[in-house]
Amino acid sequence: MASLVCTLQDHQDDVNWCAFSTKLLATCSGDKTIRIYNSSDFSELPFSPLSGHGYSVHCCCFSACGQFLASCSTDATTMVWSMTTGDIEAVLEHPGRSPVRICAISPDSVHLVSGASDGTLALWDFPSKQLRRTTAVSDTTMVACSFSPCSQMFVSGSTYGDLRLWDLNVNQLHAEKNAHDLGVSSCAFAPSILSGGQVVQFRVASCGQDCLLKIWAISKFSSGGCKMQLLHILSDQSAPVLCCAYSSDGQLLVSGSVDKSVTIYDATNAVLLYKLNQHARYVTACACSATSPLIATGSMDKSVNIWRLENGCDSWQKGGKSLPQETAQMSNNGTASAGRSKLLVADWSEEDVSEWLVEEGLQGLVDKFRTNNIDGTELLSLTKETLASELHIESVGLRSKVLRKVEELKSDSVCSGVPDEFTCPITRELMREPVIAADGYSYEREAIESWIHTKNRTSPMTNLPLLTTLLTPNHTLKMAIGRWRTSH
């Protein structure tokens, strides 16, 4: 029996990834944040959310001991965070400054691999955070990666549809072309190792845009050669399968799909055990707890569902967040009063900003903000530098809290009814000076100009090279946004 324990609704945009350590659950999102929960009762840790990435966070993963968390983002970095303090331990800039779509830490915590939109893979020494090796597969985007349980190999998957096996010198051991003919979405090694004679065997699951979940056997011979054989094809989901994960004992395999369903299989026999339909939009993330029969699933509906795989879940509901309680909490703790909720943050007056500071428990800053005439526009443009040098806020923790609250405010404004076509795909904020790039998409001028200068002229939407950096003002869209602002 699979029972819904609770639903976490803290993210303000699509949930892109979930990961468990022995004690924690991490989730990351298009809202640029990572949220950390205690997996015993799913209460959020005091230092959560983690804010440091400039754009959407695509993936996050724990080190084996759970002391560190790695996260990667469209901002072309992989960040390493302390799970004791929530501080950033290291920022790893991907070679070529391409958006990083996937990252994974080896089970022995010696290596970290990151894969990017330009088809590059970077292998890092995790203890020293130094780059060791790089390689690239042309004309594709790396979107999936997983280390073998022995930590001596890793598998990658790309939008081209291939699965490739690599050693720790980033030598290609095997390439399975067209593993998923419309592109790979995710891949995962099973945690068990099967050995016999001169052969060591592993299991790998992969899923893709072809609506299939596949289980493969990888045989590694003492001679150094590798062989990859397809064992099972699972087709119980009716749309592209976006994520897959093994349980810690390798007995279960979980997947999530565009059809909004979550499937749970007996991994050994490839038999469907459960099909769960609770999410309102695409299921983009799934993870299994290492210490209890719990599964986390994340979705484009901005929620994370926690499931328990056994009869009853009373002991977990006592301290967890139930669905009705969570809904009530959100309605009671809105970030804007009735008067301000009709305004965009950029249109707030200085008095509106003062009221917001009081609501957020920052009443001690009201005088400083008033003295410096901080209205809504100024509020949204605050940086650590301006808080320190102009507003003279000396506490590092207080400056971080203000910026975190501002980021939440930006996310709230994006998710409170602003049409998607009016928000910039890069910043996820309402556009003021929309321009059309060579890829045909509209962006905020400042955001796309910054992107072009730092991302080697690739499209933020397609990851393909931009044929020209010429930007054309989108007057029609600007007028439509103006009409929308007036009516709201």
Side-chain angles (χ1 to χ4, degrees):
M1 177 181 175
S3 302
L4 181 64
V5 176
C6 63
T7 298
L8 309 174
Q9 296 177 302
D10 299 307
H11 281 297
Q12 303 299 317
D13 207 330
D14 303 348
V15 177
N16 294 328
W17 204 271
C18 302
F20 277 103
S21 70
T22 55
K23 297 180 180 179
L24 303 175
L25 168 69
T27 63
C28 63
S29 167
D31 65 11
K32 311 176 191 176
T33 69
I34 305 105
R35 290 186 178 268
I36 311 297
Y37 302 90
N38 189 319
S39 60
S40 64
D41 61 2
F42 296 101
S43 58
E44 193 165 4
L45 267 59
F47 57 69
S48 177
L50 305 178
S51 299
H53 285 294
Y55 299 112
S56 177
V57 186
H58 295 292
C59 176
C60 58
C61 55
F62 286 100
S63 60
C65 64
Q67 185 178 353
F68 300 103
L69 179 81
S71 63
C72 62
S73 166
T74 303
D75 64 12
T77 68
T78 299
M79 291 188 175
V80 180
W81 308 79
S82 165
M83 288 295 96
T84 303
T85 63
D87 293 334
I88 297 174
E89 295 283 326
V91 178
L92 312 180
E93 295 190 358
H94 198 83
R97 297 292 296 164
S98 183
V100 185
R101 297 292 303 276
I102 189 71
C103 62
I105 301 174
S106 61
D108 60 6
S109 296
V110 173
H111 296 97
L112 180 149
V113 66
S114 56
S117 294
D118 60 359
T120 57
L121 287 167
L123 186 70
W124 307 80
D125 180 83
F126 188 68
S128 67
K129 314 300 185 292
Q130 297 298 308
L131 181 64
R132 284 197 56 204
R133 299 278 193 280
T134 61
T135 190
V137 179
S138 60
D139 301 322
T140 192
T141 294
M142 290 294 175
V143 293
C145 193
S146 178
F147 273 96
S148 64
C150 65
S151 299
Q152 299 305 301
M153 306 182 295
F154 63 92
V155 63
S156 67
S158 74
T159 53
Y160 186 76
D162 59 313
L163 290 170
R164 296 173 186 264
L165 193 65
W166 311 84
D167 65 16
L168 296 182
N169 291 314
V170 198
N171 296 314
Q172 184 174 289
L173 302 175
H174 180 82
E176 190 70 27
K177 301 293 184 63
N178 298 315
H180 292 272
D181 58 10
L182 298 176
V184 174
S185 301
S186 180
C187 63
F189 265 98
S192 54
I193 302 174
L194 309 173
S195 60
Q198 302 297 308
V199 182
V200 177
Q201 197 171 85
F202 307 89
R203 294 286 187 270
V204 169
S206 66
C207 57
Q209 300 295 321
D210 55 6
C211 311
L212 300 176
L213 176 64
K214 297 183 178 182
I215 300 176
W216 308 81
I218 295 179
S219 300
K220 193 171 189 302
F221 301 95
S222 56
S223 60
C226 285
K227 178 183 177 182
M228 194 166 178
Q229 179 183 2
L230 181 61
L231 296 181
H232 304 288
I233 298 177
L234 307 173
S235 56
D236 296 287
Q237 289 169 304
S238 59
V241 185
L242 302 181
C243 55
C244 61
Y246 276 99
S247 61
S248 59
D249 59 4
Q251 297 301 304
L252 299 177
L253 177 62
V254 184
S255 66
S257 169
V258 169
D259 69 7
K260 309 174 190 175
S261 73
V262 176
T263 55
I264 303 173
Y265 293 92
D266 173 338
T268 303
N269 301 305
V271 174
L272 179 65
L273 300 177
Y274 308 105
K275 191 168 187 178
L276 313 175
N277 294 281
Q278 185 72 24
H279 284 292
R281 295 192 66 193
Y282 304 170
V283 180
T284 50
C286 59
C288 299
S289 169
T291 56
S292 56
L294 295 175
I295 293 172
T297 59
S299 168
M300 290 178 68
D301 63 13
K302 308 169 192 171
S303 73
V304 177
N305 284 335
I306 308 298
W307 305 87
R308 187 176 180 87
L309 297 181
E310 64 179 33
N311 292 329
C313 55
D314 292 341
S315 62
W316 286 85
Q317 287 180 331
K318 288 177 182 177
K321 299 180 181 178
S322 69
L323 186 58
Q325 290 172 336
E326 178 70 6
T327 304
Q329 179 180 342
M330 291 185 68
S331 64
N332 291 335
N333 296 334
T335 58
S337 68
R340 293 198 315 277
S341 63
K342 297 180 181 180
L343 296 174
L344 294 171
V345 178
D347 296 328
W348 282 8
S349 66
E350 294 176 24
E351 187 60 34
D352 290 328
V353 173
S354 296
E355 291 178 5
W356 173 77
L357 288 170
V358 173
E359 290 177 4
E360 296 295 342
L362 298 168
Q363 54 267 27
L365 298 178
V366 169
D367 290 341
K368 287 181 181 289
F369 275 59
R370 282 179 174 170
T371 301
N372 287 273
N373 304 115
I374 304 297
D375 58 12
T377 301
E378 293 295 327
L379 180 67
L380 294 176
S381 63
L382 288 177
T383 64
K384 288 183 178 179
E385 290 72 23
T386 57
L387 289 174
S389 62
E390 297 180 22
L391 274 71
H392 305 293
I393 299 175
E394 297 180 0
S395 168
V396 175
L398 187 55
R399 292 201 298 267
S400 298
K401 183 176 181 180
V402 171
L403 291 177
R404 186 165 64 245
K405 292 295 183 182
V406 171
E407 285 300 317
E408 292 176 2
L409 198 59
K410 289 179 181 179
S411 297
D412 287 342
S413 67
V414 168
C415 301
S416 60
V418 179
D420 284 345
E421 60 268 26
F422 292 171
T423 62
C424 173
I426 298 174
T427 65
R428 300 297 297 164
E429 297 170 12
L430 186 71
M431 288 184 281
R432 293 180 174 273
E433 291 294 331
V435 293
I436 304 172
D439 58 2
Y441 290 92
S442 292
Y443 305 90
E444 178 64 35
R445 178 182 289 278
E446 184 178 354
I448 188 63
E449 287 178 344
S450 174
W451 179 281
I452 289 171
H453 292 151
T454 59
K455 308 294 180 182
N456 294 333
R457 293 177 55 174
T458 59
S459 164
M461 298 298 287
T462 68
N463 298 313
L464 298 175
L466 293 171
L467 298 180
T468 176
T469 58
L470 180 67
L471 302 173
T472 305
N474 192 335
H475 297 297
T476 302
L477 179 57
K478 186 175 182 178
M479 287 189 291
I481 293 173
R483 288 194 296 270
W484 182 86
R485 285 169 60 94
T486 301
S487 63
H488 288 75

